[in-house]
Amino acid sequence: MKKVLIADDKATSRELIRTVLEDCGYAISEAGDGIEALRRARETEPDLIILDIHMPGVDGYGVVSELRREERFANTPIMALTASAMQGDRERALASGFDSYVSKPIALSALRKEVERLVDGHESTGATARSE
Amino acid sequence: MPTGHPAEFLRALLDAAPFGVMAEDTAGNIRLWSHGAQAILGWSENELLGRVPPPEIGFPTNSDPGAEVRLAGNNGEATEVRIWKMPWQEGTLSIFIDNSERRRLAGREQEALAQVRAERRYRDLLEAAPDAIIEVDSQGRILTMNARTEELFGYNRGELLGQNVDALVPDHIRGKHSGHRASYAASPLTRPMGSGLSLEGRRKDGMTFPVEISLSPLRTDEGFRITAVIRDITERRQIEERLRAIQEQYTSELELRNRQIEAANRHKSEFLASMSHELRTPLHTVIGFSELLAEESKGPLNEDQKRFVGHIHRDAQHLLSLINEVLDLSKVEAGKAQLRREDIDIAEVAEDALSSIRPRGYERLITFRTNIAGPVIVEGDRLRLKQILYNLLSNAVKFTPDGGHVEIDVESTNGFARISVQDTGVGIAPAEQESVFEKFHQVAVAAGGIREGTGLGLAITRRLVEQHGGSIWLDSEPGRGSRFTFTIPLKGRE
């Protein structure tokens, strides 16, 4: 079973993603902030990490740059899932080490497809999905 | 009375007189021609005695006492004389005096008078001048000055005439002044003094004031002179200062205002960005969970529940588009800087937008007609141009009844690409046609009660067209459809 770590400071958002992905057969772990995300990632070594960008303490950018320093996370797919919609956010995220940038809200079908692509693809292509 | 013969005495007396005397007898023959007469006309008594006066002399037969006449001398030259003729017992007596000397003297007197007048006029001119005028010699001694000089510097004429002009120069530059004077004497030209420098004069009381000085050289019989015209520019300086102060005040107020506007704009952008983020976060879960429910993966819903979940989902989506468009409008209003300009075939963009909209038309049996004479190259932002076309096509489809048609025309005319989107929808009343481009305006539609979208699409569209240097307008009649037309300058036109 593939493992997915979801880090988001909003519990309802974590529950939504967890529900959708559990139904698809992934094993889910959760974190409510950046520090917890780092701890969980090191404990579980997930196959995919989904990070909110705006989190108290260490934000999504901080978590990515911490993880990318460690050999074992060098190739782990990491997705940014954010409600931010400012110009340049996507570019900044991809430049900071994220493999994928997804805006909230996203259609569930698009989310499922993007998770599948990242987990099975084993490639850091920088391709992105976007909700309409 | 001297002794001796009275006639001899009288003769001596006549010969000594500075005038000429001629005596004629009753027959008209000359009986006396004095030495004075010979001195004036050159003829001697020996030549004339006993003869009638030679007609070439031109003695008048009759004349008023003291009349001025011209008489010819024996050398033929005319001499002007005044003549008195009077009878005596033996004939006629003529006394004449040379008038040319007197005339010369009178002329000289006239000349002197004219010169005095000219000098007085020159002096009046000098005194009436609004500027101080000073004449100095090569040593700097003041030779001439006018009334304005007294007034300006606070000295009277007696205190300055003959004094060195340095008295009028402020202490701190007095040392250099004589050097400047020497170099001016070396290359004397009429020019302003110390051009580019601010010059000052010094009053008797020690006060200084700003001046402007023009110099002109003058070579006279008595040596080299310099004329200086000195203008007091205190008032002008004050006006300049005041103007500068006003200008500085305006500039700083303007800068402050600009900073405030910039800050306000930045705050507005930051506010919109965080508002958008805060709104999208809960919408994300509202939309997500309603979608989850609709998928019925956690158990089946009855028909009412399905419909209710559908309402939640659709309205949440609507709210999302509002948020997106408000954000987009604020970006568009922020300015042109954000356009990514490149050469674009707008015919191709039109085809592209059309293919995005076609599926929505198919569902409702709407047919599309195109009349595109491509390529039509403009300089613009591809995504924004597509957004303009998509918005117009989307509106056209929205307001066209099932089975209607939508037409798009692209052509180039008079330096502009001209694109129009025509529908067979309900049309828009003339009274509403102006306001369709305003924010949050939605056409009141009776037929069908169509009311969806955000009311921001056309406001954004118009701003995008204007940012590209074009314009947009609407032709419509209720019941006969609408035609939106916009223009974009062709490449190379701007």
Side-chain angles (χ1 to χ4, degrees):
Chain A
M1 205 187 246
K2 300 284 189 184
K3 293 172 289 182
V4 177
L5 170 62
I6 302 164
D8 197 314
D9 59 330
K10 292 278 185 305
T12 49
S13 179
R14 292 199 302 274
E15 188 182 343
L16 175 68
I17 308 301
R18 190 189 51 187
T19 310
V20 171
L21 296 186
E22 273 175 353
D23 287 353
C24 297
Y26 295 101
I28 306 298
S29 56
E30 290 180 30
D33 59 46
I35 300 288
E36 198 183 354
L38 286 169
R39 189 160 53 76
R40 289 270 183 219
R42 284 166 188 145
E43 277 169 16
T44 62
E45 297 196 5
D47 299 286
L48 169 69
I49 301 170
I50 299 177
L51 291 175
D52 186 12
I53 285 183
H54 297 275
M55 289 188 292
V58 181
D59 66 5
Y61 296 119
V63 174
V64 164
S65 63
E66 275 292 307
L67 291 179
R68 290 298 188 211
R69 257 181 254 171
E70 296 175 30
E71 182 68 26
R72 54 185 169 156
F73 294 115
N75 293 312
T76 306
I78 304 178
M79 176 202 285
L81 181 60
T82 175
S84 172
M86 292 312 289
Q87 268 187 340
D89 284 350
R90 174 182 301 269
E91 288 70 19
R92 184 178 168 204
L94 296 179
S96 319
F98 283 102
D99 297 294
S100 170
Y101 181 93
V102 171
S103 298
K104 293 175 184 176
I106 180 173
L108 299 185
S109 55
L111 177 65
R112 288 182 189 112
K113 238 183 255 174
E114 180 65 0
V115 167
E116 196 181 332
R117 183 183 73 82
L118 287 168
V119 173
D120 297 346
H122 299 296
E123 278 176 339
S124 304
T125 58
T128 56
R130 194 175 199 181
S131 64
E132 284 303 323
Chain B
M1 198 72 176
T3 54
H5 197 279
E8 278 171 19
F9 170 71
L10 280 174
R11 177 67 210 220
L13 195 65
L14 285 178
D15 282 340
F19 48 79
V21 178
M22 175 177 75
E24 291 159 276
D25 58 22
T26 45
N29 295 320
I30 295 172
R31 305 302 305 266
L32 185 145
W33 181 259
S34 75
H35 286 183
Q38 184 177 349
I40 292 169
L41 294 175
W43 301 91
S44 68
E45 196 171 29
N46 287 338
E47 290 172 287
L48 299 176
L49 222 52
R51 296 174 51 185
V52 295
E56 61 261 37
I57 293 179
F59 278 110
T61 46
N62 267 310
S63 64
D64 294 334
E68 289 180 7
V69 296
R70 294 172 76 79
L71 299 179
N74 65 344
N75 58 3
E77 278 178 24
T79 301
E80 195 182 293
V81 301
R82 298 183 75 194
I83 190 162
W84 287 261
K85 290 177 85 101
M86 62 208 79
W88 64 303
Q89 64 261 45
E90 289 175 34
T92 312
L93 205 57
S94 299
I95 296 171
F96 50 94
I97 61 172
D98 188 344
N99 202 31
S100 58
E101 184 69 10
R102 205 189 95 164
R103 183 150 281 244
R104 213 164 38 244
L105 282 173
R108 210 175 287 167
E109 216 166 83
Q110 285 295 325
E111 266 172 41
L113 210 62
Q115 200 173 340
V116 166
R117 281 208 197 93
E119 265 171 27
R120 188 179 301 149
R121 205 158 51 230
Y122 155 78
R123 173 53 70 176
D124 288 348
L125 215 62
L126 190 72
E127 293 301 334
D131 295 331
I133 299 173
I134 293 174
E135 186 187 40
V136 301
D137 64 15
S138 55
Q139 269 74 51
R141 273 193 305 268
I142 297 172
L143 304 173
T144 313
M145 58 179 272
N146 64 354
R148 183 71 179 129
T149 308
E150 295 182 297
E151 198 182 321
L152 206 56
F153 288 92
Y155 289 98
N156 63 41
R157 228 166 274 241
E159 292 171 301
L160 277 185
L161 284 173
Q163 298 305 304
N164 196 289
V165 74
D166 282 352
L168 307 180
V169 175
D171 302 349
H172 64 280
I173 48 170
R174 195 168 294 161
K176 297 179 195 160
H177 195 249
S178 59
H180 290 321
R181 197 164 54 240
S183 66
Y184 184 78
S187 61
L189 285 172
T190 299
R191 61 170 175 81
M193 181 194 272
S195 62
L197 301 176
S198 45
L199 303 176
E200 284 184 331
R202 181 187 185 279
R203 291 175 54 83
K204 187 182 180 183
D205 59 17
M207 298 284 286
T208 59
F209 58 98
V211 292
E212 202 174 69
I213 302 177
S214 324
L215 299 174
S216 22
L218 192 65
R219 290 202 183 280
T220 70
D221 296 342
E222 295 134 302
F224 181 68
R225 300 282 172 79
I226 302 170
T227 307
V229 179
I230 303 162
R231 174 167 298 181
D232 179 4
I233 56 169
T234 305
E235 209 167 303
R236 198 171 79 197
R237 274 288 150 78
Q238 282 167 350
I239 291 168
E240 283 170 356
E241 285 295 321
R242 220 173 303 150
L243 279 178
R244 195 160 34 238
I246 290 169
Q247 199 178 2
E248 273 169 17
Q249 192 189 338
Y250 270 130
T251 308
S252 69
E253 275 174 16
L254 215 61
E255 275 170 5
L256 179 67
R257 192 78 52 82
N258 279 345
R259 275 201 301 278
Q260 284 169 342
I261 290 169
E262 270 169 33
N265 274 338
R266 208 167 45 243
H267 288 150
K268 183 185 157 197
S269 298
E270 282 164 8
F271 171 75
L272 280 166
S274 61
M275 183 197 73
S276 157
H277 179 266
E278 295 308 309
L279 293 173
R280 289 160 75 96
T281 298
L283 263 183
H284 164 62
T285 45
V286 170
I287 290 171
F289 281 117
S290 63
E291 232 179 298
L292 259 183
L293 279 174
E295 284 174 357
E296 299 180 290
S297 59
K298 303 297 174 188
L301 302 178
N302 65 34
E303 285 309 304
D304 282 343
Q305 288 169 331
K306 270 189 200 166
R307 205 173 57 253
F308 298 162
V309 166
H311 292 332
I312 295 171
H313 188 259
R314 238 187 342 272
D315 281 356
Q317 287 289 1
H318 180 77
L319 194 50
L320 178 63
S321 3
L322 266 175
I323 293 164
N324 287 343
E325 293 199 346
V326 167
L327 194 67
D328 195 32
L329 184 63
S330 82
K331 279 182 198 162
V332 170
E333 284 182 341
K336 281 185 176 178
Q338 291 171 340
L339 287 186
R340 286 183 205 172
R341 288 179 182 273
E342 52 179 329
D343 292 354
I344 287 162
D345 178 4
I346 196 147
E348 190 187 305
V349 178
E351 298 278 13
D352 192 14
L354 198 57
S355 64
S356 307
I357 216 85
R358 267 206 168 94
R360 280 169 56 189
Y362 285 151
E363 288 168 17
R364 297 177 38 221
L365 301 173
I366 292 171
T367 52
F368 293 94
R369 295 173 189 165
T370 59
N371 185 7
I372 297 177
V376 178
I377 309 297
V378 299
E379 208 175 325
D381 185 313
R382 182 181 296 277
L383 284 178
R384 293 306 199 179
L385 288 174
K386 186 178 171 185
Q387 188 180 355
I388 294 166
L389 280 154
Y390 185 88
N391 283 349
L392 295 179
L393 285 168
S394 166
N395 269 351
V397 167
K398 189 162 49 176
F399 292 105
T400 294
D402 293 0
H405 44 256
V406 170
E407 184 178 316
I408 179 165
D409 295 276
V410 178
E411 56 177 344
S412 61
T413 166
N414 292 331
F416 283 88
R418 181 185 171 118
I419 302 97
S420 59
V421 175
Q422 165 102 47
D423 63 44
T424 56
V426 291
I428 297 167
E432 274 196 280
Q433 288 181 7
E434 263 306 297
S435 47
V436 293
F437 294 105
E438 287 166 12
K439 288 178 216 173
F440 294 113
H441 178 88
Q442 285 189 310
V443 176
V445 182
I450 305 160
R451 189 176 171 87
E452 55 183 88
T454 58
L456 289 172
L458 282 176
I460 292 174
T461 301
R462 181 172 65 179
R463 274 172 184 75
L464 288 175
V465 168
E466 285 168 356
Q467 273 188 16
H468 279 86
S471 53
I472 183 166
W473 64 94
L474 161 68
D475 300 296
S476 182
E477 258 180 72
R480 307 193 61 173
S482 305
R483 186 173 68 224
F484 284 90
T485 308
F486 71 94
T487 58
I488 303 283
L490 290 174
K491 178 180 167 51
R493 187 181 185 278
E494 289 171 88

